[in-house]
Each structure stands twice: as C-alpha cells, then as structure tokens.
Amino acid sequence: MAVVSDTKTPNLRCLKAAFLAMEPSNCLISLARRTSGGSLTEEVQNFILELCVNSVYVLRREENRILKKISFFLPSGIDDRSSQRNLVVSLYCSLNLLEGDTGCALWPSCLFLSEFILSYPKLFSDKVCFEVGSGVGLVGVALAHVGASKVILTDGDGSTLENMKCNLELNHLRSGKVQSRYLPWEFAAESELLKYEHDCVLGADIIYDPKCVPHLIEVLRMLLKSKRTFILPEEKEASVAYLATVIRNKETFNYFLRAAEEAHLSVMDITQDWQPLNLLPYMLSYDRTSVCLYRIS
C-alpha cells in the first residue's frame, strides 16, 4: 500500500491514475481529450509517453493475471491521515473471466464498498471487521487504511484466496491485523465464525447465485449473532453487516430478501442516506449508480 503526494494538475493526475488502473482505451481517450480541452495536444501526448507509458507495467503471476493500481483520491480532512492524499492499491486481477475467474476481478460493488469505507472511516476505525467473499482483497486494504483493529478476509475459492494473499503481500498487509481464511459457505460452522468477536460484516457482489442464497443467509445469520464485549461485561454491541451489490437479477435478489426475512434478518437500503464520496473520478468505466448498499442486522 503506497501513499503519494499530488504534484500534477487534477486532470493530468486523473489521466495517469486511469493508465495505472488499466482503464479501457475509450475511457483513456475521453480523459485525455478532457485534459487538453477537446483535442490531444502535444503536451498531453508527451505526458502520456513520458509518464503514463513508462509507469504502466504488466506483471503476470500466472498466465491470467495482470497488475492494476487503484488510486483513491482522498480529500483533506477525511480522516486522521489527512496528510496522506492518495491511497494507491496494487492488485493482481484476472484477464479472462470467461474461464470462471470472477473472484479475481474488480467489480463495481467492490469499488463502491471501498469508497464507502474510506468516506466514513469512523464506522470501521478500531473495529474487528469480517468480509464474506473478499475477492481481490480491495475492501480489506481500505479497512486497514481507516484503522480497523483487525480484518478477516474470507473466500471459498482456493485460487481466489491465493490471489488475495498475494495482493495482501503487495500492499504489505500480511500480518496479524489482516488475515485471510478459507470459508466455503455451505460448510461454515457457527463456533468457528463467532470466535472472531467481530463488530461488523461486509460483502460486495455476493448476492448473485440463487443456489448460494440459502448458504449465504445462514452465514450472515451466524455472523450477526456475534456480540462484542467491551471493557465491562454488560457493554455489548450487536454486529451489523454492510452489503454492496448490483441487482442483476431481480428474482434472485427478491429470493435473498425473502430468505433474510425468514431468518429474522432486517435488510435496510441505505444507498441514498450513506452515499460515499467520489474517490475514483478518473475511473469512467465504473458505474457507481448501479450499486445499492444495504445494512443488515
């Protein structure tokens, strides 16, 4: 995890960040034109050649991995780390989702949830946070940045988990504070989940397969039974979950809502009330309006 200072104009900074994040070519061209007032001036072309192209490099840990750098533009005063303006996260991501490597991709809900965490750091600072279906690990990096006391990242796919571990190492987060765990939802045990005494549960784009919904609901039910004990035994606070998702299939999502109600879980849409800051202004391929945020208790 690297923090860099802002030394360029906002438009040039956005253009470089887009290159490092491997944004699609049409998005890069649009940003370049915006930077130079509509045409690709010589100044912008030189900037692309001298700074962007020289800074972009591809590393393959396997045949289907590419290195992306996601830059969050943090405004001053967003947290106690106000002097650290840009948070840059290095991530190995999948090149070929057609092979079923969806867990190693950067999905809109993952970006949205990370922006939410960075926009409201006090919700997660000094908290034990447990993520279900952690994918590339971006949410975990955001949680570590805002000062979560402990972060447990889980996934039920072996290759995704190995990729996530590699990403944690890239960002210098393989320690007792940030842990990765193998968690197939259908085999999750309540005794194993509750031992973490977590304060909050997080998930991004995990409501997508109707076959998995019953297992996901059971995992959430068990996780939300946890109550963290503070200084005095009577000081206890119930766990809460924040789930970000794109509703691609209405029937699947309605099935999730019915199953949650049957499990006595309260699902509240907080998308409008808790809008995150736009910390990824250069990422034109990211449609944050498609993402909904839910609070589950």
Side-chain angles (χ1 to χ4, degrees), residues 119-137:
S119 298
Y120 302 100
K122 291 183 179 179
L123 290 177
F124 309 98
S125 177
D126 299 321
K127 300 288 182 66
V128 178
C129 301
F130 190 108
E131 187 184 8
V132 180
S134 302
V136 293

Side-chain angles (χ1 to χ4, degrees), residues 183-193 215 218-219 222-223:
L183 180 67
W185 297 347
E186 61 269 34
F187 302 119
E190 185 169 328
S191 58
E192 177 70 17
L193 296 177
H215 303 305
E218 181 62 11
V219 168
M222 291 187 290
L223 286 170

